[in-house]
Amino acid sequence: MIEYNFIFIIVCLLIFFNTLVPNKLIEKVSFWFVYLLIVVLAGFRYEISSDYVIYEQIFNTIAMNDGFNFYFIEPGFIFLNKSLIFLGLNYEEFIFTIAILSIGIKFYFIEKLSNKKLISALLFFSFYLFLYDLGAIRRGLALGFITLSIFFYLKERKLETYIFVLIAASIHVSALIMIPVFLIAPIKFSLPKLMSVILVSFILQYIVTNLVHFTFLEQLNNPVAMKALGYFKSGDYFIQNSFVSIGLMIRILLAGWIIYYQNRLISHYPYIEKLIYLFVMSLIFLIIFDKLRIFSSVAIFFKITELLIIPYLFFTIKKSY
């Protein structure tokens, strides 16, 4: 944990220094320096998270060509394994390569779109790195390609948008959820509209949770459904209490705060209306599937827009006073 705290302190100091002495070049150099620190941290880790060992077994099985059926792993991830094995890389080098690629794409996304890159990097380091790039590396890599699809979505380049969604889905199929969200015209939310959407989402949460738990999964007998049912009933994936989680409450309050300052944000920052739309969509998914963590995890593909929105919001409020 010492190295994590060390990097956190460095990023905070760089933010403080850049606030005192604003300089675009220094900020950019500092930003990519932080990227290198995080890549070294992620790339040289050993047996951190349970997924590390699982993906090591998959990598070694593919390397031995024993004909194991990887029906549960997406073809893009298998292709990536085979390509790096063909180049002669071992598993530790594979992890380092994934770290360079996955984190690098996200930092490119931040560098191109964030008004305060170091704050966005700190937000990424504090949450996304630990859950995905140090844990669920397959979803973390898919998330990287989704940030590229969001980038092109904001630029209204439809072909590239959907190409990168498909690349992401070839690594983690849940990324396909982005397609219908991109197809819907961005909705501008007001506070009353947001409150109505939140209320409807909680009603849907009750209906969907009971429908899935007591009807749908219990009646399926195929191996995939049984595996899903096992996850669903475990403490990590099925929350049995009726309370709203603290994390969800914070996101609801954050969404209200964002909508309250929405007009000021739109007047200062390009693309903010589409970013807010994607953020609210993530909130809808989080509420509906709050008790079904196996499904709510797809919200991460929209939620990553907060890396851009929160710095925008912070400095818009700062300018207001």
Side-chain angles (χ1 to χ4, degrees), residues 198 201-202 205 248 252 282-290:
I198 289 172
S201 297
F202 273 112
Q205 177 195 111
L248 183 56
I252 291 171
S282 77
L283 180 63
I284 292 169
F285 270 83
L286 285 171
I287 293 173
I288 294 174
F289 299 110
D290 186 44

Side-chain angles (χ1 to χ4, degrees), residues 33-317:
F33 173 68
V34 171
Y35 163 71
L36 290 175
L37 288 178
I38 293 175
V39 164
V40 169
L41 175 69
F44 286 106
R45 74 188 189 276
Y46 181 72
E47 291 191 355
I48 294 177
S49 86
S50 58
D51 283 0
Y52 184 98
V53 176
I54 294 171
Y55 287 119
E56 183 177 24
Q57 293 170 348
I58 293 171
F59 182 89
N60 291 335
T61 303
I62 294 171
M64 290 185 294
N65 287 314
D66 71 351
F68 186 78
N69 182 9
F70 289 101
Y71 71 91
F72 57 91
I73 299 291
E74 288 79 353
F77 191 72
I78 297 296
F79 175 77
L80 182 59
N81 277 260
K82 289 183 176 180
S83 298
L84 296 181
I85 289 168
F86 177 78
L87 293 174
L89 275 63
N90 59 31
Y91 183 64
E92 287 73 24
E93 292 164 336
F94 169 80
I95 286 292
F96 191 79
T97 303
I98 294 294
I100 292 172
L101 178 62
S102 181
I103 299 170
I105 295 173
K106 298 180 188 85
F107 266 64
Y108 174 83
F109 171 73
I110 292 169
E111 200 272 334
K112 288 296 182 182
L113 296 172
S114 178
N115 68 327
K116 292 294 176 180
K117 300 171 180 55
L118 287 171
I119 293 178
S120 295
L122 182 64
L123 292 170
F124 168 76
F125 178 76
S126 302
F127 179 76
Y128 292 87
L129 176 72
F130 291 93
L131 282 185
Y132 299 99
D133 293 289
L134 294 183
I137 59 173
R138 188 161 54 93
R139 193 186 293 271
L141 182 57
L143 182 59
F145 287 111
I146 286 299
T147 62
L148 288 179
S149 74
I150 292 172
F151 173 78
F152 288 114
Y153 168 72
L154 298 177
K155 300 286 185 179
E156 298 186 351
R157 293 166 60 176
K158 293 183 179 180
L159 178 61
E160 292 94 332
T161 297
Y162 294 111
I163 285 174
F164 280 108
V165 170
L166 293 176
I167 292 172
S170 76
I171 295 167
H172 205 291
V173 70
S174 61
L176 287 173
I177 194 64
M178 295 301 292
I179 291 180
V181 174
F182 284 150
L183 286 173
I184 299 171
I187 302 167
K188 185 176 180 180
F189 290 91
S190 62
L191 279 174
K193 187 181 291 185
L194 177 67
M195 292 172 64
S196 299
V197 166
I198 289 172
L199 177 60
V200 171
S201 297
F202 273 112
I203 294 170
L204 287 174
Q205 177 195 111
Y206 177 81
I207 295 170
V208 170
T209 301
N210 284 283
L211 178 66
V212 172
H213 188 212
F214 299 113
T215 307
F216 183 66
L217 288 175
E218 294 285 8
Q219 294 180 6
L220 293 179
N221 294 313
N222 64 71
V224 176
M226 290 301 99
K227 182 178 179 181
L229 182 60
Y231 281 137
F232 177 79
K233 288 185 174 179
S234 72
D236 292 335
Y237 291 88
F238 176 50
I239 311 302
Q240 300 191 45
N241 65 62
S242 58
F243 298 105
V244 178
S245 65
I246 294 175
L248 183 56
M249 281 299 303
I250 291 172
R251 296 202 174 279
I252 291 171
L253 293 173
L254 178 60
W257 208 10
I258 290 168
I259 298 302
Y260 180 77
Y261 283 97
Q262 181 174 217
N263 291 333
R264 295 182 195 179
L265 286 165
I266 291 171
S267 66
H268 286 94
Y269 305 109
Y271 315 123
I272 195 69
E273 193 169 343
K274 286 185 176 180
L275 290 172
I276 292 172
Y277 160 69
L278 292 175
F279 181 82
V280 174
M281 291 301 294
S282 77
L283 180 63
I284 292 169
F285 270 83
L286 285 171
I287 293 173
I288 294 174
F289 299 110
D290 186 44
K291 310 301 181 187
L292 311 174
R293 295 296 168 84
I294 193 171
F295 303 122
S296 67
S297 58
V298 300
I300 192 69
F301 295 121
F302 321 107
K303 195 161 71 68
I304 198 166
T305 54
E306 68 190 8
L307 298 183
L308 308 178
I309 295 173
I310 291 175
Y312 285 149
L313 178 64
F314 177 78
F315 283 93
T316 298
I317 295 170

